[in-house]
């Protein structure tokens, strides 16, 4: 029973990525596909953040099965059996389709953890990234299959950390017995694009398999710090304006009272 005692004051985390890769179906694939309107093949996955050396996939250096029991992917209702359970690594699902939609990802942990499942959301990305957005009421510009195929696979990945606070002793022992592969400090591969980091769009144009690095982690922290400073300055500015308006209101109220 000692193993079911929580270790107070201890926090341990595991880095993951979740997202998808999509490729345009070839003419032969479209011909053999049972759904004539499908244009892409895609894979959605939950993986360890670190990439294996010389690997042709994003992340996945570590087997997550030691602490994840199941990953449930909830697809669009137009798919047959839209709720798909993956009960063993690799925790990924491949399908074909023609449109983008939000996928609910629910991660269930092994019984030893005593942890409740967590839910993540990912917008399935099929078409090449762009920083331009369509005008309200208009559809986004989608390249022809031929042009999209020339641009290569589309990657859309997000980094996250699953944090376990006050874990059970047995689960803590399990986690420490499987130290994660550290993410690379730097990489010659392109960095994954995200709209919060517009400059990374140029990286996606180089092609190749993207990789998460510790440099990205630091840069993201720096961007968060910069955004936090901007918010604080904006708050201070409007607080000052509010104080001045309140002083002006008080002056006018006193002036009005003196004339009554």
């Amino acid at each position: 029973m000692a193993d079911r005692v929580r270790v107070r004051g201890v926090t341990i985390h595991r880095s993951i990525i979740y997202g998808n890769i999509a490729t345009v179906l070839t003419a032969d694939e479209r011909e053999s596909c049972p759904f004539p309107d499908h244009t892409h093949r895609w894979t959605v996955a939950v993986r360890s953040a670190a990439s294996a050396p010389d690997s042709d996939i994003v992340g996945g250096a570590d087997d997550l099965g030691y602490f994840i029991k199941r990953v449930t992917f909830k697809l669009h209702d137009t798919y047959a059996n839209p709720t798909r359970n993956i009960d063993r690594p690799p925790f990924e699902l491949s399908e074909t389709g023609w449109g983008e939609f939000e996928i609910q990802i629910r991660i269930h942990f092994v019984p030893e953890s005593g942890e409740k499942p967590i839910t993540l959301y990912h917008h399935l990305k099929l078409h090449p990234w762009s920083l331009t957005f369509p005008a309200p009421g208009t559809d986004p510009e989608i390249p022809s299959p031929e042009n999209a195929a020339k641009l290569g696979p589309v990657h859309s990945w997000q980094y996250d950390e699953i944090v376990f606070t006050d874990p059970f002793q047995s689960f803590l022992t399990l986690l420490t017995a499987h130290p994660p592969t550290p993410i690379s400090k730097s990489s010659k591969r392109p960095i994954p694009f995200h709209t919060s980091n517009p400059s990374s769009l140029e990286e996606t144009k180089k092609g190749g398999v993207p990789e998460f690095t510790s440099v990205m982690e630091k840069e993201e922290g720096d961007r968060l710090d910069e955004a936090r400073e901007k918010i604080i300055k904006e708050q201070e500015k409007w607080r000052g304006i509010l104080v001045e308006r309140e002083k002006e209101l008080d002056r006018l109220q006193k002036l009005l009272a003196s004339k009554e």
Side-chain angles (χ1 to χ4, degrees):
M1 293 297 292
D3 283 349
R4 298 306 290 173
V5 175
R6 289 194 176 274
V7 185
R8 303 296 178 183
V10 171
T11 299
I12 188 169
H13 78 274
R14 287 294 177 264
S15 302
I16 65 165
I17 60 169
Y18 59 98
N20 78 275
I21 178 175
T23 56
V24 177
L25 293 176
T26 65
D28 289 341
E29 288 173 328
R30 293 195 67 172
E31 187 174 338
S32 61
C33 181
F35 306 100
D37 58 341
H38 285 195
T39 57
H40 290 73
R41 181 177 304 281
W42 51 263
T43 297
V44 61
V46 174
R47 298 171 179 163
S48 65
S51 297
D54 302 320
S55 173
D56 61 352
I57 68 170
V58 183
D62 300 325
D63 184 336
L64 301 182
Y66 69 92
F67 77 97
I68 293 179
K69 177 185 178 182
R70 165 184 290 176
V71 175
T72 301
F73 297 99
K74 177 63 171 66
L75 309 183
H76 194 275
D77 289 338
T78 53
Y79 281 87
N81 304 316
T83 300
R84 313 281 182 89
N85 293 319
I86 307 299
D87 292 324
R88 60 178 62 87
F91 296 108
E92 57 186 53
L93 169 69
S94 295
E95 263 289 1
T96 60
W98 60 266
E100 300 180 348
F101 57 90
E102 185 176 72
I103 298 177
Q104 182 190 86
I105 303 172
R106 193 162 176 81
I107 300 176
H108 306 257
F109 302 105
V110 294
E112 299 93 318
S113 71
E115 300 285 341
K116 296 180 180 179
I118 63 171
T119 302
L120 306 170
Y121 295 90
H122 173 70
H123 182 82
L124 179 69
K125 183 69 177 169
L126 301 184
H127 307 295
W129 287 102
S130 173
L131 290 182
T132 59
F133 297 93
T138 63
D139 293 327
E141 183 178 348
I142 297 176
S144 66
E146 294 77 17
N147 289 336
K150 292 176 182 178
L151 295 172
V154 172
H155 288 275
S156 177
W157 300 97
Q158 298 182 72
Y159 172 94
D160 207 343
E161 293 179 352
I162 301 177
V163 180
F164 302 104
T165 303
D166 300 338
F168 283 120
Q169 181 62 64
S170 57
F171 189 46
L172 179 61
T173 300
L174 179 64
L175 292 173
T176 53
H178 296 82
T181 300
I183 57 177
S184 300
K185 292 183 178 180
S186 60
S187 176
K188 294 181 180 179
R189 300 180 183 182
I191 62 176
F193 172 71
H194 197 276
T195 51
S196 65
N197 181 18
S199 62
S200 61
L201 179 63
E202 288 301 317
E203 291 284 323
T204 67
K205 297 177 181 178
K206 297 178 181 178
V209 180
E211 181 178 16
F212 287 84
T213 67
S214 57
V215 172
M216 286 178 60
E217 189 175 16
K218 180 182 181 304
E219 290 175 345
E220 180 67 12
D222 291 343
R223 283 192 294 273
L224 289 172
D225 290 340
E226 183 181 350
R228 191 177 297 111
E229 289 178 7
K230 288 182 179 179
I231 291 172
I232 292 173
K233 288 181 180 179
E234 199 68 13
Q235 287 176 330
E236 291 175 347
K237 183 186 79 172
W238 287 106
R239 188 178 294 113
I241 292 174
L242 180 60
V243 169
E244 291 301 318
R245 296 290 171 83
E246 288 177 342
K247 287 181 180 179
E248 179 65 12
L249 177 61
D250 184 60
R251 185 187 69 81
L252 292 173
Q253 287 175 334
K254 288 179 180 179
L255 180 61
L256 182 62
S258 66
K259 294 183 178 181
E260 291 180 350

